[in-house]
Amino acid sequence: MHDLSGQLVLADVQKAIGYVLAVLLVLAFAVAVLVNMRRGRAEVGSEVELAANRKPYMADDELETKKLDRTLGVGLVLLAVIAVALPLYWLAEPGRQADAVAGFADVAVARGENTYVNGAQCASCHGPEGVGGVANYTITDPSTGDFVAQVQWKAPALNTVMYRYTPEQVLFILNYGRGYSPMPAWGAPGGGPLTEQQLTNVIAYLTSIQLTGDESKAAVQAELDATCKADDAGQCTLPGAKYKTLGEAVFNLGYDSGFAGGAYSCGRCHTKGWSYGQAQVPGGGAMGPNLTGGSEQRQFATAKQQEAFVSAYPKAGTAYGSSGWSSGRMGSFGTNPNSIDPKTATMSADQVMLTEEQIAAVVAYERSL
Ligand code: HEC
Ligand code: HEC
């Protein structure tokens, strides 16, 4: 976020000067009207001698010396004022426009925050400042509609959401929601209540609350140390660790602890029941496809190719692997080239969900499923 305080002060001063000038002009106008009304009433003489709207004028001598000099002098002064003031105004204009754009961006963030906290209450599920949370949800039988269970469904942290998704992907998720989960549709295309402008503002707010790369990496490392403590060979060494390898721990990051609402995990999309603590076959498929039974060996000839896919998820509509085709629903877990706008540098290249080592580990785990 830029610091706008200096520019805003300048804008306020300009506004104040403008108001003072406006008030002075109105006062001067009122005085002129009053004075003229008085003068107009005074009878100067009969129409023949001197009509009421005429006055005896200066003699030629005076007119061509004093009067002429004074008028030319006033003209010169005004010309000088214009010669100085106009370039000054032009010089300041690009800055004023830039300030207006920056101020506009700040307004978008503030409005987006208001929608996040109050309007749509995203915070009630995704946590304050997008730290992640849970949503109460009733699971029903898809064939009969009967009640199955009341669960708490992890709502992923959004303070890294721009790491994994491009703004277009986020807009798509917001427009349509995730119909199989507690995440409702928010945009008009999905039948939701918010306008595209409101959603754009929410995305501006989300962008403003993204963690730094270091904060995110440290949090993931702390969580992995608490669940796995991998050695150099990627085996978990924590006594009684639930997971055998670093890759398995990454795949399930936050399953028991609720860390970041599972945002960094793969299981939340690739394992049925993962998000509400009833994980079924690991990697057996949910919203994301089944990764087991050697399917990933078939899709990606080498682990490197699969790592590249997980790191930088291909744009919607483009092909990957031997017969994959991106739908735009997954995200990038390494450097997300589509999110880094070279013009604004909104995201920096070190804002990644997982390190190269962690991605290699999770890919090795998936290829073993
Ligand atoms: C009733 C709870 C609830 C509310 C309110 C809610 N969400 Fe969600 N949201 C969820 C859940 C649960 C998920 C995860 C769904 C899944 O498992 O795929 C989710 C997923 C998302 C995702 C995808 C994140 C990812 O990494 O997969 C985004 C983005 C998102 N929500 C943004 C928002 C925004 C912005 C709002 C407010 C306009 C909002 N949500 C309101 C519950 C909620
Ligand atoms: C938000 C949900 C989501 C998350 C989280 C997610 N995936 Fe996916 N993944 C998908 C979807 C959906 C696809 C199917 C491809 C598509 O639609 O573009 C997919 C496809 C894949 C594929 C290719 C499968 C194939 O055979 O074509 C791999 C490999 C994969 N994901 C690995 C991962 C790993 C590793 C992680 C965690 C680091 C992960 N995914 C996290 C949703 C997700």
Side-chain angles (χ1 to χ4, degrees):
M1 298 260 339
H2 350 227
D3 180 12
L4 282 172
S5 47
Q7 292 159 353
L8 287 179
V9 167
L10 184 63
D12 282 350
V13 169
Q14 282 177 346
K15 237 192 224 170
I17 294 177
Y19 281 132
V20 169
L21 282 180
V23 169
L24 285 180
L25 279 175
V26 170
L27 281 179
F29 180 71
V31 169
V33 167
L34 280 176
V35 168
N36 277 319
M37 273 164 55
R38 277 249 199 92
R39 278 219 192 122
R41 247 184 267 124
E43 280 292 335
V44 182
S46 81
E47 207 169 309
V48 182
E49 289 165 29
L50 193 64
N53 60 350
R54 293 176 61 209
K55 65 174 184 177
Y57 211 61
M58 297 166 188
D60 279 359
D61 273 357
E62 208 180 346
L63 194 63
E64 284 166 14
T65 54
K66 252 208 216 148
K67 169 70 181 161
L68 187 62
D69 290 349
R70 218 189 306 137
T71 308
L72 286 176
V74 169
L76 192 65
V77 168
L78 286 179
L79 198 64
V81 168
I82 291 174
V84 174
L86 212 55
L88 275 182
Y89 171 79
W90 283 329
L91 274 179
E93 182 58 11
R96 190 195 64 76
Q97 288 183 3
D99 287 357
V101 171
F104 196 72
D106 275 14
V107 169
V109 169
R111 290 190 179 153
E113 178 173 14
N114 189 32
T115 302
Y116 184 87
V117 177
N118 305 313
Q121 300 190 348
C122 319
S124 67
C125 294
H126 290 281
E129 305 243 304
V131 295
V134 289
N136 291 319
Y137 191 62
T138 306
I139 297 187
T140 51
D141 185 322
S143 50
T144 60
D146 289 347
F147 173 89
V148 174
Q150 181 71 38
V151 299
Q152 293 215 305
W153 192 301
K154 292 185 180 69
L158 299 180
N159 57 11
T160 49
V161 74
M162 309 313 288
Y163 287 28
R164 47 191 182 276
Y165 297 120
T166 62
E168 294 74 35
Q169 281 177 298
V170 176
L171 184 62
F172 183 86
I173 298 170
L174 295 183
N175 269 334
Y176 295 98
R178 295 246 176 91
Y180 59 86
S181 84
M183 172 69 181
W186 292 104
L194 301 181
T195 64
E196 185 166 354
Q197 181 65 64
Q198 286 170 315
L199 293 178
T200 309
N201 290 345
V202 167
I203 293 173
Y205 168 67
L206 291 178
T207 305
S208 80
I209 58 167
Q210 299 301 289
L211 298 179
T212 66
D214 286 346
E215 285 168 342
S216 169
K217 264 181 218 145
V220 169
Q221 194 54 54
E223 181 67 17
L224 283 172
D225 285 346
T227 50
C228 169
K229 219 175 215 128
D231 61 14
D232 287 347
Q235 301 295 312
C236 295
T237 63
L238 195 75
K242 180 171 172 181
Y243 305 116
K244 286 200 196 63
T245 62
L246 174 64
E248 188 181 5
V250 170
F251 191 89
N252 293 297
L253 205 67
Y255 180 74
D256 289 308
S257 66
F259 169 65
Y264 298 90
S265 77
C266 319
R268 68 183 171 99
C269 290
H270 288 285
T271 305
K272 187 164 194 290
W274 194 96
S275 287
Y276 47 90
Q278 297 176 19
Q280 299 179 20
V281 182
M287 188 266 268
N290 185 346
L291 304 173
T292 67
S295 61
E296 295 323 287
Q297 313 274 355
R298 289 190 290 279
Q299 184 69 286
F300 301 96
T302 66
K304 278 271 165 273
Q305 288 171 357
Q306 191 175 339
E307 287 164 23
F309 168 88
V310 174
S311 178
Y313 177 66
K315 264 198 166 135
T318 58
Y320 68 83
S322 63
S323 51
W325 184 76
S326 168
S327 68
R329 287 175 298 162
M330 194 167 128
S332 299
F333 285 81
T335 300
N336 183 351
N338 299 322
S339 261
I340 299 170
D341 179 346
K343 273 192 301 222
T344 59
T346 325
M347 301 291 295
S348 78
D350 76 329
Q351 287 176 305
V352 293
M353 299 298 293
L354 301 172
T355 64
E356 279 175 29
E357 186 204 1
Q358 289 157 356
I359 289 176
V362 79
V363 163
Y365 170 71
E366 285 178 347
R367 291 175 83 77
S368 75
L369 289 173

